[in-house]
Amino acid sequence: MDVIHYIDINCDMGEGLVPEAPLMPYISSCSIACGGHAGDADTMRRTLLLAQEHGVRVGAHPSFPDKTNFGRKPMNITRHDLLNSLQQQMTALWEIADDSAMEIYHVKPHGALYNLASTDPIYADIVVEATLQLPDKVTMYAPYRSQLLQSAKEAGLNVMEEAFIDRQYTAEGLLVPRQERNAIIEDPKRALEQIESLVKNHKVMTIDGEEVMHRAQTFCVHSDHLHTASILRFLHDELPKLDIKIQRY
């Protein structure tokens, strides 16, 4: 008897870069920008309602408060100011979700903050501390073997290990920086190969052609890539043939 693997596919949304309605039918959770790198009250409300319409689980996607650089560059900011900003961002989403009678399931930091929190205990602890101030207990989306994952576990948060379907990995198991050649996976077939290996073998092929361990339960596709829609449609059609199913909520 074949084993069915149930997974979560998540997508960063509410960033105002692409039409998001066509993506919602193919994902099971989304992380909503809440004013740091992108988004405002209107975009948060629209994205929440769109997710509700499609039965997609929602989470907060806080970042450095830096819309100029879309939160993709480390920011010179004090611990106090960053903590306050993250709390304000996530509280804004919570209040709007509460008005719509929606539950916020998870937190996933964005961009440079995600990368720093994955390796630096100072930033990981700031993200966790801000998350612990929320009115509800949530799940932290964090990379396999990351500092953020460890800090979240130590603080008693639920965690889901995350991998990326549309990004290449280094030999250290980190994401290849966006500015480097071939950092982004554009071929839907290559994306399918990556997710199948991650789900069934707990391994990912690095940009150098080597396999490294990488466990995950949630798999991210970025909404702002040119090939996002085609990748998601292809996965929707092909994953069931591999006994991999998206867990809807």
Side-chain angles (χ1 to χ4, degrees):
M1 182 176 175
D2 293 333
V3 175
I4 304 298
H5 304 269
Y6 291 94
I7 64 168
D8 176 64
I9 291 186
N10 77 76
C11 196
D12 304 335
M13 290 197 168
E15 297 175 327
L17 298 177
V18 297
E20 295 173 339
L23 307 180
M24 281 289 185
Y26 303 106
I27 64 175
S28 47
S29 68
C30 68
S31 305
I32 302 175
C34 34
H37 67 290
D40 55 26
D42 288 338
T43 59
M44 284 186 264
R45 186 173 293 106
R46 288 198 301 269
T47 308
L48 282 164
L49 293 176
L50 186 61
Q52 186 178 50
E53 177 184 344
H54 289 276
V56 171
R57 202 159 57 177
V58 296
H61 198 38
S63 72
F64 283 120
D66 182 14
K67 291 187 177 182
T68 300
N69 296 300
F70 201 67
R72 285 182 174 156
K73 292 184 178 181
M75 188 177 183
N76 185 13
I77 184 172
T78 67
R79 186 186 196 283
H80 176 268
D81 288 346
L82 178 56
L83 182 63
N84 281 347
S85 177
L86 296 178
Q87 290 173 340
Q88 290 170 8
Q89 290 175 51
M90 292 191 286
T91 297
L93 182 66
W94 249 257
E95 291 174 350
I96 296 170
D98 190 56
D99 289 342
S100 303
M102 291 190 68
E103 178 183 354
I104 303 295
Y105 174 75
H106 69 273
V107 167
K108 173 189 167 181
H110 165 82
L113 182 60
Y114 182 93
N115 294 333
L116 284 169
S118 296
T119 58
D120 189 324
I122 294 175
Y123 286 97
D125 289 347
I126 292 172
V127 172
V128 169
E129 183 176 346
T131 302
L132 290 172
Q133 302 305 313
L134 297 171
D136 304 303
K137 187 174 182 179
V138 297
T139 296
M140 183 70 72
Y141 284 10
Y144 174 61
R145 287 181 175 171
S146 66
Q147 181 63 51
L148 179 58
L149 188 76
Q150 179 180 331
S151 295
K153 283 183 177 180
E154 291 174 352
L157 289 172
N158 298 323
V159 298
M160 284 184 73
E161 295 162 312
E162 182 180 43
F164 289 80
I165 303 169
D166 57 2
R167 294 287 300 277
Q168 295 269 27
Y169 281 85
T170 68
E172 294 74 31
L174 302 174
L175 294 176
V176 174
R178 278 176 172 263
Q179 64 271 22
E180 291 191 16
R181 181 175 168 271
N182 296 329
I184 297 171
I185 294 173
E186 299 178 342
D187 180 5
K189 292 182 180 179
R190 174 71 184 87
L192 179 67
E193 291 171 357
Q194 179 140 307
I195 194 170
E196 181 183 17
S197 178
L198 283 161
V199 171
K200 295 185 175 181
N201 303 320
H202 309 303
K203 292 182 179 179
V204 65
M205 184 72 71
T206 72
I207 199 166
D208 299 317
E210 302 293 330
E211 283 189 326
V212 296
M213 289 294 296
H214 196 108
R215 294 183 180 274
Q217 298 81 48
T218 184
F219 301 85
C220 178
V221 178
H222 289 90
S223 65
D224 60 333
H225 292 173
L226 291 175
H227 303 277
T228 300
S230 59
I231 286 175
L232 285 173
R233 287 194 298 266
F234 186 76
L235 294 178
H236 178 268
D237 292 339
E238 297 299 321
L239 284 174
K241 301 175 185 178
L242 301 173
D243 298 317
I244 300 173
K245 293 187 177 182
I246 299 173
Q247 180 69 63
R248 306 291 297 195
Y249 304 98

